[in-house]
């Protein structure tokens, strides 16, 4: 629970580690996987249920609807559960946004925000507090994206990139290049838009690609930053990644990022990366069924398992290389490379569109005092919980 001591959460992690795991590839009880899924990364990753090598260390007991553990450097997928199941990604989709847009602007570039930059931000979004009429460096805007998951900062950067529609087009093209075929982008902010989905496999691809960029890596590892408040005033913002900051759960030793997400529709989603003994692992956990901290606890448990299993468990698949980085004629070099997934709209989650504020039709023109008023309404509830976020 929010506010609990770290010792309590260490014991919760230990309890997870004692849960019965799968010693071989089995299908565990749970939500039915999509009828047709991608086989990118290998045939086993297209199956439903847990995929893990026979003889691997015991997996922790988990409640997520989908998850994946992979080696960052080799791309080996060590274990997964419904890796290609299409689910709402929430703000973890911002990893794809950053991987697509971040290289285009120098971090010292300055942009003066206008009311038009802030138009169309979904009502109920998480905000960092960008104000029309104030100038921001690109670095500050990206800090707003990574630390506070600010949809206002996302929309300003998207505007600088040619607008939301153009940015969505570029993000979808980048997803195709990464062979993230489960992903359908509707908006760059990851908010609850109908048909916007991704998968544990695709989110892990986004993290791996993004971490190749030094600025991306630096932003997602930043715990606090000073953010402009107008004039010469600033206020401090803190990263909402709890495994990084240790707020509410024990900080994970060696964590280097990358992105968390929460909306009332999508639930909690998280992709994390950590280094131990010279090895870096990636873990994505999507939609644990209960407990606000469960997404962090299950990520930590899978990281612990992965560091134990690495070098002992045969991979069950691979994180494929982006098409743009592969030599010609290399299509058969990776399991499942280039395999097309089912259209995202057809494999979308069966969740109902129970959006608290009227869904995507509820749009706010945010500028000046109007933005600040919305920001006051949308501050995190005690313990970090917020009704709607992107």
């Amino acid at each position: 629970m929010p506010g609990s001591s770290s010792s309590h959460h260490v014991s919760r992690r230990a309890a997870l580690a004692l849960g019965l795991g799968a010693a071989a590839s089995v299908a565990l009880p749970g939500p039915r996987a999509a009828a047709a899924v991608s086989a990118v990364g290998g045939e086993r990753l297209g199956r439903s249920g847990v995929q893990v090598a026979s003889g691997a260390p015991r997996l922790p007991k988990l409640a997520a609807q989908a998850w994946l553990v992979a080696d960052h450097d080799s791309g080996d997928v060590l274990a997964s559960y419904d890796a290609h199941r299409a689910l709402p990604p929430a703000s973890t989709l911002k990893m794809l946004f950053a991987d697509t847009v971040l290289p285009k602007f120098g971090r010292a570039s300055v942009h003066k925000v206008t009311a038009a930059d802030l138009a169309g931000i979904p009502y109920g979004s998480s905000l960092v507090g960008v104000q029309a009429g104030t100038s921001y460096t690109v670095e500050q805007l990206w800090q707003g994206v990574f630390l506070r998951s600010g949809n206002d900062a996302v929309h300003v950067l998207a505007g600088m990139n040619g607008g939301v529609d153009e940015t969505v087009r570029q993000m979808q093209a980048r997803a195709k290049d990464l062979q993230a075929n489960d992903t359908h982008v509707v908006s760059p902010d990851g908010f609850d838009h109908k048909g916007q989905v991704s998968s544990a496999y695709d989110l892990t691809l986004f993290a791996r690609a993004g971490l190749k960029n030094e600025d991306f890596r630096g932003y997602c590892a930043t715990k606090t930053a000073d953010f402009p408040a107008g004039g010469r005033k600033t206020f401090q913002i803190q990263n909402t990644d709890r495994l990084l900051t240790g707020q509410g759960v024990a900080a994970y030793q060696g964590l280097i990022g990358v992105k968390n997400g929460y909306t009332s529709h999508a639930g909690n989603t998280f992709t994390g990366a950590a280094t131990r003994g010279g090895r870096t692992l990636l873990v994505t956990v999507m939609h644990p069924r209960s407990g606000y901290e469960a997404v962090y606890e299950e990520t930590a448990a899978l990281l612990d398992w992965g560091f134990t299993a690495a070098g002992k468990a045969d991979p069950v698949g691979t994180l494929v290389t982006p098409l743009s980085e592969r030599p010609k004629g290399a299509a058969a070099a990776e399991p499942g490379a280039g395999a097309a997934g089912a259209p995202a709209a057809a494999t979308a989650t069966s969740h109902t569109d129970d959006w608290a504020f009227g869904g995507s039709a509820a749009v706010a023109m945010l500028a000046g005092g109007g933005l600040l008023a919305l920001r006051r309404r949308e501050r995190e509830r005690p313990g970090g919980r917020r009704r709607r976020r992107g």
Side-chain angles (χ1 to χ4, degrees), residues 228-372:
R232 295 185 178 181
K233 297 180 180 180
T234 63
F235 61 94
Q236 189 179 84
I237 57 175
Q238 184 182 48
N239 202 314
T240 56
D241 177 348
R242 297 182 174 210
L243 286 186
L244 183 69
T245 65
Q247 180 183 358
V249 297
Y252 194 87
Q253 185 177 3
L255 196 83
I256 57 176
V258 285
K259 193 71 188 74
N260 57 332
Y262 170 79
T263 67
S264 56
H265 177 62
N268 290 285
T269 298
F270 182 66
T271 297
T275 298
R276 182 183 296 174
R279 185 186 299 273
T280 298
L281 296 182
L282 297 164
V283 167
T284 295
V285 173
M286 301 188 75
H287 309 191
R289 293 177 181 82
S290 63
Y292 189 76
E293 313 295 2
V295 73
Y296 300 106
E297 295 168 350
E298 295 192 10
T299 298
L302 283 170
L303 284 168
D304 287 345
W305 177 88
F307 285 119
T308 300
K312 302 176 184 177
D314 292 333
V316 296
T318 187
L319 300 177
V320 293
T321 304
L323 296 174
S324 58
E325 297 178 16
R326 295 169 60 201
K328 291 182 179 180
E334 296 169 322
T347 61
T349 175
S350 61
H351 289 190
T352 56
D353 293 333
D354 56 348
W355 301 353
F357 299 106
S360 59
V363 179
M365 173 69 77
L366 305 176
L371 173 63
L372 292 176

Side-chain angles (χ1 to χ4, degrees), residues 215-234:
D215 286 339
F216 183 110
R217 199 179 184 99
Y219 290 136
C220 71
T222 300
K223 295 182 180 181
T224 62
D226 292 328
F227 198 78
R232 295 185 178 181
K233 297 180 180 180
T234 63

Side-chain angles (χ1 to χ4, degrees), residues 189-240:
D189 51 36
F191 199 73
D192 287 338
H193 298 280
K194 188 174 182 179
Q196 183 153 267
V197 292
S198 191
S199 67
Y201 184 85
D202 287 8
L203 293 176
T204 309
L205 288 179
F206 301 155
R208 190 185 189 209
L211 288 170
K212 294 178 183 177
N213 183 294
E214 184 178 349
D215 286 339
F216 183 110
R217 199 179 184 99
Y219 290 136
C220 71
T222 300
K223 295 182 180 181
T224 62
D226 292 328
F227 198 78
R232 295 185 178 181
K233 297 180 180 180
T234 63
F235 61 94
Q236 189 179 84
I237 57 175
Q238 184 182 48
N239 202 314
T240 56

